Amino acid sequence: MGLSEFALIDRFFRDCGARRTDVSLGIGDDAAVLEPPPGKQIVAAIDTLVEGVHFPLHSPPASVGHRALAVNLSDLAAMGAEPAWALLALTLREVNESWLAEFSRGLDTLAREHHVALVGGDTTSGPLTVSIQVLGFVEPSRALKRSGANAGDLVFVTGSPGDSAGGLAVELGSLHAATQPARTYLRERFLFPTARVALGRRLLDFASACIDVSDGLLGDAGKLAHASRCRVELEYSKLPISAALLDAYGEQRARELSLSGGEDFELCFTVPPSRIVDMERALPAERWGYSRVGVIKQGTDAVVVDNGTVMDFSHSGYDHFSTVR
Amino acid sequence: MGLSEFALIDRFFRDCGARRTDVSLGIGDDAAVLEPPPGKQIVAAIDTLVEGVHFPLHSPPASVGHRALAVNLSDLAAMGAEPAWALLALTLREVNESWLAEFSRGLDTLAREHHVALVGGDTTSGPLTVSIQVLGFVEPSRALKRSGANAGDLVFVTGSPGDSAGGLAVELGSLHAATQPARTYLRERFLFPTARVALGRRLLDFASACIDVSDGLLGDAGKLAHASRCRVELEYSKLPISAALLDAYGEQRARELSLSGGEDFELCFTVPPSRIVDMERALPAERWGYSRVGVIKQGTDAVVVDNGTVMDFSHSGYDHFSTVR
């Protein structure tokens, strides 16, 4: 890319995102200069989307811009942090003005929604790859970790995991069974996932542990179990399945997808029994969009139980039921 | 990449870089939690290296790790900032243990040298791409910008720009003329560039403007000129040329490379005349490795002058001399 092309790209990002008074120096110098609020900790996450890996070739560019930021906002949400600033590393095969305009619009819309300023970046030539790094704040020692769950805590998840996997199938043209409204809904969930930032902030007062669901609910619950040195038991019958996913896949496959489908960017969190009543009063489940899906026990790993029986899971889906315990 | 592969990669980065007490939560959760020092501003940069674009295929992995961090440290150096924390977004075609071990060793060595902790990251599948984001600190309102130069200021550059371009030619097997010691020296300058962090910090007391030289001295001086709304005049005879570059290319081509070769990661900075004596006393040029190469004038753009004549430059090199002024 020549210098003029970099200048062109710069045009699309210089005014991207929210205006913030804590940005002392934004895009256009060697680095950004930022004013952290006194008495807060900084929370930092970085995530990358690669064309053909995290999104199909020829994805809507606004979706690529949205998702590249959303995956990072979701990481901050899982820590209970308030996002503030983002940096973008964009690698492009070619300078396509309409692609850049749409990409930056998708990024800009979500950034403004969360009052995030794009403060720096880097554009390079190469296979389409988008890395965004988001910085935010959290009150000292209050960040939600994966490691805080204890036996007896209840397990919750936001939204209806699996929808993103269904939406990806729509995008890839491999989902034909579903009705048009179901296809439209699922596709939207894949293209424009919701980062649960406001809920993450509120969960600081209630949750004992939290993780962003990006690699599938069961796998991510397993990471929480590992970090907390406990066992997560998810209840098969309590998995929140959207009507659209049910319509598209039928019950068994929809439940499998809710456990194994990736890229949902929902939050899986645990709450001690003593905090449940207060949480449900302060954050009504139907308004905040979360469901109870399980319980923390002593032990290891994350498992799915149905009528007291542990279900056997492999990456190819549920092979069979077991009676291990 | 399967989950076990991610676990493998994690092994190479969990203890990478310096230990810092201001890292409240490092690698292994959804995001890092960091303690900014009170009363400082945060400085943030992100830069990407793409295989086949910023480094040749089959580059020594330790060099890739070193350079990916060095380019960012250089951005912070150009702001006069003190680096502290880094996040890594690594996209790999395959998990190659020996490559990862060498890559992380190169990153680790440079990170420890600058007391930088690797606090987070993301590994994904795809074409080899390394984005690093570095965070550091600077005293409030003191950051060195590109925009502070004034007519009459003197212009300096560190090191001997062009060496990296020569070293790249060695790596690509296209430089045959040079002696073996020259080739070895140039190759090392390309593979393991120096980030001028300590000098950047000290320049807070003297420089009026500063920029990282990554796209060629003349081009980057032009960016400084543009930001400062002035003219940078570089003196052809004062360009600092290494003996190795001279040996490899002869004088004319060596001087061209010192102006147009990229990826040097040196600092180009300006100092008001009133501060020169103090700077040269506090920071002896021979010890800190910088040279005076020009002067700031009223006007626009960066130009090269020789005996009072502006030289004509195009991206293909010096085509001819001109007598525009």
Side-chain angles (χ1 to χ4, degrees):
Chain A
M1 267 179 240
L3 284 176
S4 61
E5 289 176 301
F6 286 115
L8 180 72
I9 293 168
D10 187 57
R11 204 182 76 204
F12 291 106
F13 297 109
R14 194 171 280 271
D15 291 317
C16 198
R19 304 279 81 72
R20 293 181 64 101
T21 56
D22 56 13
V23 178
S24 176
L25 188 66
I27 288 177
D29 213 300
D30 289 299
V33 182
L34 309 165
E35 304 271 5
K40 297 274 181 86
Q41 290 180 316
I42 300 284
V43 180
I46 192 165
D47 263 313
T48 302
L49 301 187
V50 181
E51 185 181 50
V53 178
H54 302 92
F55 56 91
L57 297 178
H58 313 302
S59 281
S63 161
V64 179
H66 176 102
R67 293 180 82 239
L69 180 59
V71 301
N72 282 286
L73 293 178
S74 182
D75 282 328
L76 260 63
M79 307 302 289
E82 174 192 348
W85 308 307
L87 293 101
L88 166 69
L90 181 60
T91 303
L92 296 169
R93 283 191 196 281
E94 56 179 6
V95 173
N96 174 327
E97 282 198 55
S98 69
W99 191 94
L100 280 163
E102 283 298 292
F103 172 86
S104 66
R105 187 178 61 78
L107 178 56
D108 180 65
T109 303
L110 185 63
R112 285 174 195 267
E113 192 179 307
H114 291 281
H115 199 45
V116 168
L118 185 66
V119 298
D122 177 46
T123 46
T124 54
S125 305
L128 180 54
T129 306
V130 190
S131 285
I132 288 187
Q133 196 267 359
V134 171
L135 299 170
F137 321 126
V138 72
E139 294 68 24
S141 306
R142 303 257 350 246
L144 295 172
K145 301 179 189 177
R146 298 177 176 180
S147 57
N150 293 296
D153 290 357
L154 300 185
V155 181
F156 298 82
V157 72
T158 59
S160 41
D163 287 351
S164 183
L168 176 59
V170 174
E171 272 297 276
L172 293 174
S174 63
L175 178 60
H176 304 287
T179 61
Q180 191 55 50
R183 293 162 56 87
T184 301
Y185 165 86
L186 293 174
R187 181 169 183 264
E188 192 74 8
R189 297 306 299 147
F190 171 74
L191 293 178
F192 297 98
T194 308
R196 307 283 180 181
V197 174
L199 180 63
R201 294 288 292 155
R202 299 295 299 272
L203 288 178
L204 286 179
D205 292 334
F206 304 104
S208 50
C210 189
I211 188 170
D212 159 47
V213 179
S214 53
D215 296 328
L217 175 58
L218 185 57
D220 288 322
K223 291 178 199 159
L224 188 149
H226 181 74
S228 292
R229 298 165 190 270
C230 64
R231 180 180 187 88
V232 174
E233 283 193 7
L234 300 173
E235 290 180 49
Y236 186 70
S237 63
K238 294 224 163 119
L239 295 169
I241 312 294
S242 71
L245 201 68
L246 211 55
D247 173 89
Y249 286 100
E251 187 173 335
Q252 184 176 335
R253 183 69 188 132
R255 285 182 190 276
E256 287 170 11
L257 284 173
S258 83
L259 290 164
S260 65
E263 314 273 306
D264 281 301
F265 309 115
E266 299 292 354
L267 299 182
C268 175
F269 57 96
T270 63
V271 181
S274 62
R275 301 296 293 143
I276 296 289
V277 171
D278 284 352
M279 177 180 79
E280 290 182 340
R281 192 175 319 148
L283 306 170
E286 60 280 10
R287 185 180 148 213
W288 289 86
Y290 62 86
S291 327
R292 185 167 82 73
V293 287
V295 66
I296 299 292
K297 298 226 169 145
Q298 291 189 332
T300 59
D301 218 344
V303 295
V304 184
V305 295
D306 191 27
N307 288 320
T309 306
V310 174
M311 299 172 75
D312 226 17
F313 180 80
S314 77
H315 274 288
S316 54
Y318 289 92
D319 292 331
H320 56 278
F321 288 86
S322 78
T323 52
V324 173
R325 47 174 299 211
Chain B
M1 269 179 238
L3 284 177
S4 61
E5 289 175 300
F6 286 115
L8 180 71
I9 292 167
D10 186 57
R11 205 182 75 204
F12 291 105
F13 298 109
R14 192 170 283 269
D15 290 317
C16 197
R19 303 281 80 74
R20 292 181 63 100
T21 56
D22 56 13
V23 179
S24 176
L25 188 65
I27 289 176
D29 214 300
D30 289 299
V33 182
L34 308 165
E35 304 270 5
K40 298 274 182 85
Q41 290 180 316
I42 300 284
V43 180
I46 192 165
D47 263 313
T48 301
L49 301 188
V50 181
E51 185 180 51
V53 178
H54 302 90
F55 57 90
L57 297 179
H58 313 302
S59 282
S63 162
V64 178
H66 176 102
R67 293 180 81 238
L69 181 59
V71 301
N72 283 287
L73 293 179
S74 183
D75 283 328
L76 260 62
M79 308 302 289
E82 174 193 349
W85 309 306
L87 293 100
L88 165 70
L90 180 62
T91 303
L92 295 170
R93 283 192 196 280
E94 57 180 5
V95 173
N96 174 327
E97 281 197 57
S98 69
W99 191 93
L100 281 163
E102 282 299 291
F103 172 86
S104 66
R105 188 178 60 78
L107 178 57
D108 179 66
T109 302
L110 186 62
R112 284 175 195 266
E113 192 180 308
H114 291 281
H115 199 46
V116 167
L118 185 68
V119 299
D122 177 45
T123 45
T124 54
S125 304
L128 180 54
T129 306
V130 190
S131 285
I132 288 188
Q133 196 265 359
V134 171
L135 299 169
F137 321 126
V138 72
E139 293 68 24
S141 306
R142 303 253 356 242
L144 294 173
K145 300 178 189 177
R146 298 177 177 180
S147 57
N150 293 296
D153 291 357
L154 300 185
V155 181
F156 297 83
V157 72
T158 59
S160 40
D163 287 350
S164 182
L168 176 59
V170 175
E171 272 297 275
L172 294 173
S174 64
L175 178 60
H176 304 288
T179 60
Q180 191 55 50
R183 294 161 58 86
T184 301
Y185 165 86
L186 294 173
R187 181 170 183 265
E188 192 74 8
R189 297 308 299 147
F190 171 73
L191 293 178
F192 297 98
T194 308
R196 306 286 180 179
V197 174
L199 180 63
R201 294 289 292 154
R202 299 295 299 272
L203 288 177
L204 286 179
D205 292 334
F206 305 104
S208 51
C210 189
I211 188 170
D212 160 46
V213 179
S214 53
D215 296 328
L217 175 58
L218 185 56
D220 288 321
K223 291 178 199 159
L224 187 149
H226 181 77
S228 292
R229 297 164 190 271
C230 65
R231 180 180 187 87
V232 174
E233 283 192 6
L234 300 174
E235 291 180 50
Y236 186 70
S237 64
K238 294 227 163 117
L239 295 170
I241 312 293
S242 71
L245 201 68
L246 212 54
D247 172 88
Y249 287 100
E251 186 173 335
Q252 183 176 336
R253 184 68 188 132
R255 285 182 191 278
E256 287 170 13
L257 284 174
S258 84
L259 290 163
S260 65
E263 314 274 307
D264 281 302
F265 310 113
E266 298 293 353
L267 299 182
C268 175
F269 57 97
T270 63
V271 181
S274 62
R275 300 296 293 143
I276 296 288
V277 172
D278 284 352
M279 178 181 77
E280 291 182 339
R281 192 176 318 145
L283 305 171
E286 58 281 11
R287 184 180 148 211
W288 289 85
Y290 63 86
S291 327
R292 185 167 83 72
V293 287
V295 66
I296 298 293
K297 298 227 170 143
Q298 291 188 331
T300 58
D301 217 344
V303 295
V304 184
V305 296
D306 191 25
N307 289 319
T309 307
V310 173
M311 300 173 73
D312 225 18
F313 179 80
S314 77
H315 274 287
S316 55
Y318 288 92
D319 292 332
H320 56 278
F321 288 87
S322 79
T323 52
V324 173
R325 45 174 297 206

